[in-house]
Amino acid sequence: MKLSNQALLQLPKEVIVPNYDRNQIKTKIVHLGFGAFHRAHQAVFTDILAAEHNSDWGYCEVNLMGGEKQIADLKEQNYLFSVCEMSYDNWSTRVVGVAKEALHVDVDGIVKILDVMTHPQIAIISLTVTEKGYCYLPATASIDINNVLIKHDIDNPTNPKSAPGVIVEALRIRKEKGLKPFTVMSCDNMPENGHVTRNVILALAKIRDANLTQWIEKNVSFPSTMVDRIVPAVTLDTMAKIQKQLGGIEDLVGIAGEPFIQWVIEDNFVAGRPEWEKSGAELVNDVFPYEEMKLRMLNGSHSFLAYLGYLAGYLHIDECMQDPYYVKAARHLILQEQATTLRVKDIDLLAYANSLLDRYRNTGLKHRTWQIAMDGTLKLPQRMLDSVRFHLANNTPFHCLALGIAAWMRYVSGVDDNGKVIEVSDPAAEQLKALVSNSPDNQERIKALLSLTHVFGKDLSSNQYFIDQVTNAYLSLRDKGAKQTVEQLAQSFQYN
Ligand code: NAI
Ligand code: CS2
């Protein structure tokens, strides 16, 4: 039997179920990107509000690219899905009831999606569409005018395909109908994600209509958010465990994440918002210091472990954490090369670092290094390169960052330390492949990859000291492999 309104009655009593009147919930948020993360993060915060604080805020869940099955399954399950917390020895489960509708562009059509987005009661459009979904250039945080989706949307503005294009068209219709605007809230891992979203949307609107651009500038808000919870892609094993939690009821949209959860939100909403602070979110004036801390300390070390781990044959993050040299190097990176670059105040960064390493040790998670390694061209800038700039300006060492960047270069070169071919997943995969195959496997490879100035910026691409540091690390990875290189670096740090 599949999860449904009826199946709720048969769930084990430990499972938290929607104990509120779901008919009272209204679609006030359209969420773009019904993937793993949204379900285990924002949807849970909103569900707690409905369950414990009488909130009527609910979602229309939308996928614009991929994920047809998730939307179809959600519809079939009366818009119910379960979220499990997985620690290494304990699982707990909550069935979320705040989704009211679900749409997929290829099934329901863009007209239907725009119709919902332009309903008067919609107050927020939120997004978890991955870094790729913003169609932007990370080095400048500006729109990528050569992106195929953006090119399409410039030529077909009323039939858009990109997330920014869909939002611009929805705003145009709202303006024309004399409706109030909505807030656009990015929940993706980018620095100043609200700022990036605003830049891209305004740039696209500007190509179309100056009045619309002014209206958006004046009326729409783009709060930044810092989002955190490790939610690995679902595997067959996770599905089986979720089914066990549900006493044998099958949930095709179920998801499992770590127990830790954090959400820091810039309190800047033009059309109202749920009282997410009542379910544990932090509403602040300035998210930037939190974002910077999380992106550099957590995501930076995640990518470091992912590239070096994958090359060495560690398939999951918890396996990297069994290697004492990987742990020592990651800790050094987090505390000496990332924490030292931050502007955040009043946070115990040592305690934060230790908590991150503990979270990575969670053997229940099985977070694939390959998953974290994907889309490196859109992740490296905020996770590693901005910190490198800090160290160059301050004349401070950055051996771990140089090694992490070199490990990405080795990874996109396409073969691991056991000679196995790597399936590189990145929006720039074709370009990477061409750069790799046209350069010999020596310092020329570094020069070739650094020519990606939309990733490295012109400054780093031409900084000889930076080039030398990355080249040394790369040659060591090539000649000795990842495990030995990490061991040597970790041993060079004169402490335990
Ligand atoms: P996922 O692969 O499960 O879902 C990705 C979602 O993005 C899907 O709904 C898909 O339809 C949409 N999407 C992908 N490319 C798109 C495009 N070009 N245009 C429009 N929509 C597009 O991934 P997951 O785990 O949900 O992560 C999504 C994002 O959430 C991450 O990239 C990250 O920025 C953020 N995040 C994820 C965390 C995690 O641990 N999974 C934790 C913190 C943030
Ligand atoms: C990870 C993140 O996939 C990745 O790139 O580094 O999704 C990470 O799990 C989250 O940011 C944790 O909040």
Side-chain angles (χ1 to χ4, degrees):
M1 185 184 203
K2 279 195 196 137
L3 185 61
S4 64
N5 287 334
Q6 221 187 349
L8 284 179
L9 305 168
Q10 295 179 34
L11 292 174
K13 63 175 183 343
E14 305 77 51
V15 175
I16 301 171
V17 294
N19 59 353
Y20 46 88
D21 181 0
R22 291 185 73 212
N23 293 321
Q24 299 302 316
I25 302 291
K26 302 189 179 83
T27 300
K28 296 199 207 173
I29 308 174
V30 175
H31 183 80
L32 306 181
F34 184 68
F37 180 58
H38 165 71
R39 277 174 271 162
H41 191 268
Q42 304 98 58
V44 171
F45 279 94
T46 309
D47 191 64
I48 293 173
L49 284 188
E52 298 173 16
H53 300 280
N54 265 325
S55 152
D56 65 353
W57 286 80
Y59 287 96
C60 173
E61 308 287 4
V62 174
N63 271 341
L64 297 172
M65 192 160 293
E68 293 85 343
K69 188 165 169 352
Q70 269 129 21
I71 295 291
D73 290 335
L74 184 64
K75 286 179 184 170
E76 224 179 280
Q77 292 186 180
N78 300 131
Y79 305 98
L80 291 168
F81 58 90
S82 46
V83 179
C84 297
E85 282 187 11
M86 46 182 174
S87 53
Y88 69 99
D89 61 349
N90 191 22
W91 279 54
S92 62
T93 307
R94 157 177 223 113
V95 175
V96 169
V98 284
K100 289 290 286 185
E101 298 170 65
L103 299 170
H104 195 287
V105 71
D106 295 339
V107 177
D108 303 286
I110 189 68
V111 172
K112 177 76 187 135
I113 292 172
L114 289 167
D115 200 38
V116 176
M117 291 171 81
T118 52
H119 194 278
Q121 78 185 6
I122 297 299
I124 299 173
I125 306 295
S126 56
L127 304 96
T128 50
V129 291
T130 81
E131 295 87 341
K132 294 184 284 292
Y134 296 82
C135 313
Y136 83 118
L137 297 167
T140 50
S142 57
I143 194 166
D144 178 3
I145 216 77
N146 293 316
N147 179 292
V148 280
L149 296 180
I150 294 295
K151 279 185 170 169
H152 170 277
D153 290 358
I154 291 172
D155 294 340
N156 307 274
T158 56
N159 182 21
K161 287 194 173 176
S162 72
V166 171
I167 295 173
V168 169
E169 176 61 2
L171 286 166
R172 182 196 66 81
I173 298 171
R174 287 185 87 96
K175 176 176 176 281
E176 271 181 20
K177 283 190 175 170
L179 292 171
K180 280 200 210 143
F182 44 54
T183 298
V184 182
M185 177 178 66
S186 164
C187 296
D188 276 292
N189 279 327
M190 299 176 300
E192 298 187 274
N193 51 12
H195 184 70
V196 169
T197 313
R198 184 174 189 274
N199 274 357
V200 173
I201 286 177
L202 284 177
L204 201 52
K206 210 169 184 175
I207 294 170
R208 213 172 154 181
D209 174 351
N211 286 336
L212 175 63
T213 315
Q214 275 169 12
W215 186 80
I216 297 175
E217 273 174 333
K218 197 164 158 225
N219 296 294
V220 180
S221 65
F222 299 86
S224 282
T225 63
M226 180 269 243
V227 287
D228 192 6
R229 181 173 225 183
I230 297 175
V231 188
V234 176
T235 61
L236 288 176
D237 183 54
T238 328
M239 296 272 283
K241 285 182 175 148
I242 295 173
Q243 188 163 2
K244 200 167 157 215
Q245 287 290 305
L246 299 178
I249 306 268
E250 194 182 17
D251 179 358
L252 298 174
V253 201
I255 189 74
E258 65 170 340
F260 182 91
I261 189 160
Q262 189 178 14
W263 195 8
V264 187
I265 308 169
E266 180 187 336
D267 199 357
N268 180 17
F269 290 77
V270 292
R273 63 165 173 82
E275 293 176 294
W276 280 308
E277 63 274 32
K278 290 190 175 163
S279 49
E282 297 156 73
L283 275 295
V284 300
N285 288 331
D286 184 11
V287 174
F288 187 68
Y290 299 91
E291 273 184 337
E292 192 182 61
M293 174 185 82
K294 193 249 169 177
L295 288 168
R296 293 187 190 177
M297 291 178 73
L298 190 159
N299 296 111
S301 60
H302 236 187
S303 290
F304 177 86
L305 289 170
Y307 294 121
L308 289 156
Y310 192 94
L311 290 171
Y314 298 142
L315 293 183
H316 302 102
I317 289 293
D318 65 303
E319 287 162 50
C320 300
M321 299 304 286
Q322 305 288 323
D323 183 324
Y325 299 114
Y326 274 62
V327 175
K328 190 174 174 190
R331 195 164 194 279
H332 185 94
L333 168 76
I334 294 172
L335 281 168
Q336 308 303 326
E337 299 187 18
Q338 301 282 37
T340 49
T341 67
L342 301 176
R343 276 162 274 194
V344 72
K345 291 194 186 83
D346 305 327
I347 292 192
D348 180 346
L349 295 180
L350 177 60
Y352 184 65
N354 286 331
S355 78
L356 296 181
L357 295 170
D358 276 348
R359 289 166 64 191
Y360 298 168
R361 285 190 186 97
N362 184 342
T363 50
L365 281 180
K366 295 290 161 240
H367 200 181
R368 286 178 73 196
T369 45
W370 182 85
Q371 186 188 353
I372 300 164
M374 70 167 64
D375 297 347
T377 54
L378 292 171
K379 290 177 175 173
L380 282 188
Q382 61 271 27
R383 295 180 182 210
M384 296 192 190
L385 304 181
D386 288 339
S387 300
V388 167
R389 289 190 175 92
F390 174 94
H391 292 297
L392 288 171
N394 289 279
N395 229 347
T396 41
F398 57 92
H399 300 295
C400 290
L401 288 164
L403 179 58
I405 296 158
W408 170 77
M409 292 181 168
R410 201 77 208 123
Y411 181 90
V412 299
S413 291
V415 182
D416 74 10
D417 289 350
N418 293 316
K420 276 204 218 129
V421 172
I422 302 173
E423 189 197 330
V424 177
S425 174
D426 193 292
E430 287 306 313
Q431 205 181 354
L432 291 168
K433 210 170 174 183
L435 290 169
V436 165
S437 53
N438 292 328
S439 58
D441 194 9
N442 55 30
Q443 52 274 29
E444 295 304 316
R445 175 73 45 84
I446 287 85
K447 275 195 209 147
L449 290 167
L450 287 178
S451 72
L452 296 167
T453 47
H454 71 277
V455 178
F456 292 96
K458 288 193 183 123
D459 58 339
L460 290 183
S461 296
S462 60
N463 185 303
Q464 195 55 47
Y465 184 70
F466 172 67
I467 297 171
D468 291 345
Q469 295 287 306
V470 176
T471 304
N472 289 342
Y474 184 91
L475 296 178
S476 175
L477 288 172
R478 184 195 67 181
D479 299 338
K480 299 175 190 155
K483 272 190 200 165
Q484 209 184 321
T485 302
V486 172
E487 178 177 340
Q488 278 179 357
L489 182 61
Q491 283 187 330
S492 73
F493 303 135
Q494 299 300 314
Y495 56 82
N496 285 314

